[in-house]
Amino acid sequence: MAKKKWKKHSILPGFGLSLGFTTLYVSLLVLLPLAMIFVNTASMSWADFRATVTEPRVVASYQLSFGAAFAAACINVIFGVLIAWVLVRYSFPGKRVIDGLVDLPFALPTAVAGIALTTLYAETGWIGQFLSFKVAFTPIGITIALTFIGLPFVVRMVQPVLQNFDQEMEEASAILGANRFQTFIKVIVPEILPAALTGFALAFARALGEYGSVVFIAGNMPMKTEITPLLIMTKLEQYDYAGATAIAAVMLVISFFLLLFINGLQWWTNRKFAHS
Amino acid sequence: MAGHIPLQYSSTKAGKRSAQEPLIVRFLLITAALAFLFLFLLLPLLAIFITAFEQGIGVYAASITDPDALSAIKLTLLVVVLTVPLNALFGVAAAWAITKFDFKGKSILITIIDLPFAISPVIAGLVFALLFSAHGLFGDFLFEHDIKILFAVPGIVLATLFVTFPFVARELIPLMQSQGSAEEEASLTLGANGWKTFWFVTLPNIKWGLLYGIILCNARAVGEFGAVSVVSGHIRGLTNTMPLHIEILYNEYQFAAAFAVASLMSILAIVTLVLKNIVEWKAGQHG
């Protein structure tokens, strides 16, 4: 009888089994391990914790990680919307293949992407030799790797919105005297904005924690090209578990807020669709 | 969240003729998009295969039949065989509980399932190091019983389970939500038991979504690097997965060998993309 208070009655079987298994699995595999971060952090003194997470080398890594992830997510929004637009609105040879290729960054192991990009952008590489500035082993290289990793998010968020978009709204805007650019800014952009923002946030969140594709192209110089996940790795290799855990706790809290933000955005997107 | 691609059913038909841009604008937009995709996607892919064969087919063949490479391939397969079915089972159970019943705390459960996507893979590895290292929660217990988890295969399996576990669940939850449970209720009313209903009613309905989730889960399990890197200990021939083996070769300047192994993984990635598109197409036909 107590069960009914928190669960609505259903004639379908398997509630206890499926929820029980799910809860056990999630608790053992995710909650218990993640709790270790906070348990271990809590055993540090506040002064120690603050000193660890505000050390200049750590702060430099936050700045780099945030800056590069932000830049990459911005590039992804611009080109992601462009690619989604081109794939939905225009027809050209090879479109289906290109549409499928967009998901390559999700399918390709990050380490493979990392060594490929480093080879391309190294000073003697296919692309690097034509550039007058250094790309590999600089923040620009990091941004390129993060752009690669985040590319599919914006495209895949915006594409379905454009597909379902009622083109009569554009025609109405054109009949009312707006030119194509005005129609784009005033009719189409507001419609795809929530999806584009969600894609941006997803790409940003992924870029913030990315490790595999970045370590090869970054050069990993402390204070200059050392991203936060790499710093955690370095501390672990030196058996500085407390230091690694403290930085991880900061990143976890940031990730958690990003997750809340993304859920909020998705709720906004759904509401937009529900009333239109 | 990160890494989650919703299954898309829609076709890629071009828009209507009205309200279109002038030809020159269209041409410029298509060129810009294709140039970007060429630079960021196609060129890296080409670079992998060309560099892999740079020193000839002999070096290529030697690189992928090297004992260390073979043991890395075997370990990666072992990890996939252990993690993907477990996470598929979890995905189905979680989706069943979440979509077929109303209970308190449901949205918290959905958020928790999303968590591994939002967390850096390095942190995913770190948490298992904290649990199983000599100073960790289970450190003493494991030492007394002489069980090795960290820097051994079980640690790699656990870390991979962690980073890949949302894929199937995230694919099935929206799908089963949109399907509702009218068909299952009908089946039960007609006298079928729970398992029969699941097997003959639910499973055929969700098979494409399930397969899609498994494909994505598999791709990530094969290629996971950050999390596995923390817990593996990099012992050659024992705890090196394919991505870790590539890293070692690359850092030793054995570029041709590194790219040879990388090319195998790239072929797998391309197969993944092709399968994914076939599943999308099939799902579009049935959905």
Side-chain angles (χ1 to χ4, degrees):
Chain A
M1 270 326 201
K3 216 175 170 185
K4 269 193 179 166
K5 278 180 190 159
W6 61 282
K7 174 191 169 278
K8 272 193 208 159
H9 182 72
S10 165
I11 68 156
L12 293 178
F15 176 72
L17 179 67
S18 62
L19 188 68
F21 177 65
T22 304
T23 314
L24 183 74
Y25 199 83
V26 162
S27 307
L28 287 181
L29 193 66
V30 180
L31 292 182
L32 174 71
L34 280 182
M36 289 309 293
I37 298 264
F38 295 104
V39 170
N40 279 37
T41 311
S43 69
M44 285 174 92
S45 76
W46 173 246
D48 273 353
F49 176 76
R50 237 187 65 169
T52 310
V53 299
T54 56
E55 200 188 312
R57 186 172 162 192
V58 181
V59 173
S61 84
Y62 297 146
Q63 282 167 344
L64 177 66
S65 276
F66 269 87
F70 185 78
C74 288
I75 298 172
N76 276 329
V77 162
I78 296 166
F79 282 94
V81 170
L82 173 71
I83 291 163
W85 178 267
V86 165
L87 286 175
V88 173
R89 290 301 177 93
Y90 307 144
S91 40
F92 51 89
K95 187 164 110 165
R96 274 215 62 95
V97 176
I98 289 163
D99 195 12
L101 196 68
V102 167
D103 290 322
L104 181 73
F106 287 158
L108 197 68
T110 52
V112 174
I115 62 169
L117 290 171
T118 313
T119 309
L120 285 177
Y121 288 96
E123 266 169 293
T124 52
W126 293 4
I127 300 175
Q129 58 179 317
F130 298 111
L131 300 172
S132 55
F133 51 92
K134 265 187 83 165
V135 173
F137 318 125
T138 71
I140 305 173
I142 298 173
T143 308
I144 287 178
L146 296 180
T147 306
F148 174 87
I149 286 303
L151 177 67
F153 290 109
V154 179
V155 181
R156 293 307 185 217
M157 289 310 293
V158 173
Q159 216 175 4
V161 179
L162 277 176
Q163 245 148 13
N164 296 326
F165 183 68
D166 188 359
Q167 292 203 11
E168 279 169 20
M169 300 222 315
E170 287 170 58
E171 284 164 32
S173 160
I175 291 164
L176 291 169
N179 65 31
R180 200 66 197 128
F181 185 70
Q182 283 170 321
T183 304
F184 181 74
I185 296 294
K186 299 215 163 148
V187 178
I188 298 167
V189 167
E191 210 50 39
I192 60 175
L193 192 65
L197 266 177
T198 310
F200 174 89
L202 289 171
F204 181 74
R206 172 75 200 259
L208 212 52
E210 178 56 24
Y211 175 75
S213 60
V214 180
V215 278
F216 297 100
I217 205 167
N220 309 333
M221 275 179 299
M223 302 299 291
K224 287 199 183 112
T225 56
E226 190 176 50
I227 54 165
T228 311
L230 179 78
L231 191 58
I232 296 176
M233 196 69 131
T234 313
K235 293 214 177 256
L236 272 176
E237 273 164 12
Q238 296 160 351
Y239 296 101
D240 179 6
Y241 279 74
T245 313
I247 302 169
V250 172
M251 280 199 80
L252 262 185
V253 171
I254 295 169
S255 302
F256 185 70
F257 278 107
L258 270 172
L259 196 64
L260 280 182
F261 177 67
I262 290 163
N263 283 349
L265 276 174
Q266 261 156 0
W267 176 79
W268 181 31
T269 317
N270 290 342
R271 209 183 51 156
K272 230 179 137 75
F273 273 114
H275 83 97
S276 64
Chain B
M1 263 276 336
H4 171 243
I5 322 163
L7 180 49
Q8 286 167 12
Y9 297 96
S10 32
S11 68
T12 44
K13 257 183 267 163
K16 279 176 251 167
R17 191 144 297 261
S18 55
Q20 266 215 351
E21 291 73 39
L23 194 64
I24 179 78
V25 176
R26 261 186 281 168
F27 179 75
L28 285 175
L29 290 178
I30 292 175
T31 312
L34 292 185
F36 184 83
L37 289 175
F38 175 77
L39 202 64
F40 273 88
L41 296 184
L42 212 54
L43 214 52
L45 205 54
L46 287 176
I48 293 163
F49 287 101
I50 291 174
T51 320
F53 286 103
E54 220 165 38
Q55 293 178 23
I57 191 111
V59 175
Y60 183 89
S63 312
I64 57 175
T65 52
D66 177 80
D68 286 344
L70 286 178
S71 79
I73 293 170
K74 268 186 216 148
L75 178 59
T76 300
L77 286 178
L78 176 70
V79 169
V80 167
V81 166
L82 289 173
T83 55
V84 174
L86 261 177
N87 278 339
L89 188 68
F90 161 76
V92 173
W96 181 269
I98 286 169
T99 60
K100 303 293 181 197
F101 304 98
D102 264 319
F103 55 93
K104 275 185 188 159
K106 194 195 243 186
S107 54
I108 298 174
L109 186 60
I110 296 177
T111 309
I112 293 172
I113 291 175
D114 265 346
L115 266 177
F117 277 157
I119 289 169
S120 172
V122 174
I123 297 180
L126 167 69
V127 293
F128 291 103
L130 291 177
L131 277 177
F132 300 116
S133 75
H135 310 288
L137 188 62
F138 300 129
D140 292 333
F141 174 83
L142 295 175
F143 184 77
E144 276 165 26
H145 294 79
D146 198 26
I147 304 169
K148 269 192 85 80
I149 291 184
L150 194 63
F151 308 137
V153 178
I156 297 174
V157 172
L158 281 173
T160 309
L161 270 179
F162 181 97
V163 291
T164 60
F165 102 106
F167 283 99
V168 175
R170 287 308 286 161
E171 217 49 69
L172 289 181
I173 291 168
L175 179 66
M176 285 168 72
Q177 222 142 32
S178 71
Q179 285 173 346
S181 31
E183 289 184 35
E184 282 84 359
E185 279 160 14
S187 156
L188 287 165
T189 315
L190 292 171
N193 68 25
W195 287 113
K196 248 190 172 151
T197 302
F198 174 77
W199 200 253
F200 291 105
V201 177
T202 310
L203 205 56
N205 276 339
I206 63 168
K207 64 176 180 220
W208 294 116
L210 179 62
L211 192 60
Y212 190 86
I214 288 174
I215 291 170
L216 296 180
C217 180
N218 177 62
R220 181 71 193 263
V222 170
E224 179 50 34
F225 179 72
V228 169
S229 185
V230 175
V231 295
S232 121
H234 306 271
I235 307 162
R236 261 185 219 220
L238 278 179
T239 63
N240 258 351
T241 60
M242 286 172 83
L244 296 177
H245 186 62
I246 292 173
E247 183 197 22
I248 289 184
L249 292 172
Y250 187 85
N251 287 342
E252 288 174 346
Y253 303 102
Q254 299 188 43
F255 293 129
F259 278 97
V261 182
S263 75
L264 287 183
M265 303 201 79
S266 308
I267 292 169
L268 197 67
I270 294 167
V271 171
T272 302
L273 289 183
V274 171
L275 281 177
K276 188 182 143 293
N277 275 288
I278 292 173
V279 169
E280 268 172 354
W281 179 70
K282 288 270 188 194
Q285 276 189 328
H286 296 267

